[in-house]
Amino acid sequence: NKVIHKEDKNEKLFLELKKMIIMFEHKSFNSVFGIFFLKEILLHFGIQPINNYSNQNPYFNLSDGKFSSFQDNSLDENFPYKLLHKLLGTNIDNVFTFKINATNRRLIMEMLLRYMLYHDVINTDKLNSIKILQSLYD
């Protein structure tokens, strides 16, 4: 609600949101869907992370939006980089069988929100629903 305005005409975003909502309603509940949803809409804001994970680039860098050889000190030292890599490569047909534990989901959610904040898509100070969403998905 903070980043999408009804005056904006964005048919691609509308169709993407419609597809995700329909899939969410018709599939079995999966707690990974919340972070998958965030990952999917990043493309529509022009800040889709680059999934270049490798042995040489195992750490995600918030400012560059891609994996690099240097660890971003702003992320938790136990951040699940490999799971982020898998999430970035997952499509909507496979997300409902993808499993991530609550701790790692929270770390990835926090990172995605910080990534959006870094790129001025949201203001996390005004988001009060994150704890509610986390309680629903834990």
Side-chain angles (χ1 to χ4, degrees), residues 37-101:
F37 183 88
L38 278 181
K39 184 266 300 191
E40 288 293 297
I41 66 168
L42 292 176
L43 168 69
H44 298 280
F45 297 114
I47 59 168
Q48 183 179 20
I50 298 169
N51 192 9
N52 64 322
Y53 179 89
S54 68
N55 288 336
Q56 293 77 28
N57 296 313
Y59 306 110
F60 189 78
N61 185 293
L62 285 173
S63 60
D64 294 338
K66 64 182 181 178
F67 290 91
S68 74
S69 58
F70 301 104
Q71 188 168 6
D72 189 333
N73 292 330
S74 69
L75 295 177
D76 188 285
E77 67 181 49
N78 296 317
F79 187 84
Y81 294 102
K82 197 164 195 165
L83 283 173
L84 174 62
H85 156 64
K86 286 183 177 182
L87 178 71
L88 293 176
T90 299
N91 64 34
I92 196 160
D93 296 324
N94 299 320
V95 73
F96 294 96
T97 58
F98 193 14
K99 303 291 182 209
I100 301 177
N101 70 38

Side-chain angles (χ1 to χ4, degrees), residues 1-4 13 17 34-49 60-63 65 75 108-125 127 130 133:
N1 217 11
K2 296 286 183 188
V3 296
I4 300 171
L13 176 59
L17 293 174
I35 56 175
F36 175 80
F37 183 88
L38 278 181
K39 184 266 300 191
E40 288 293 297
I41 66 168
L42 292 176
L43 168 69
H44 298 280
F45 297 114
I47 59 168
Q48 183 179 20
F60 189 78
N61 185 293
L62 285 173
S63 60
L75 295 177
I108 293 172
M109 173 72 84
E110 179 186 330
M111 187 282 301
L112 289 172
L113 291 172
R114 289 180 56 212
Y115 182 66
M116 293 171 79
L117 175 66
Y118 181 85
H119 291 282
D120 293 325
V121 174
I122 60 168
N123 180 349
T124 54
D125 293 337
L127 287 178
I130 298 306
L133 285 173

Side-chain angles (χ1 to χ4, degrees), residues 19-32:
K19 177 177 81 172
M20 285 192 286
I21 291 168
I22 290 170
M23 290 290 280
F24 183 71
E25 289 178 346
H26 290 92
K27 297 284 186 174
S28 298
F29 178 80
N30 184 332
S31 54
V32 175

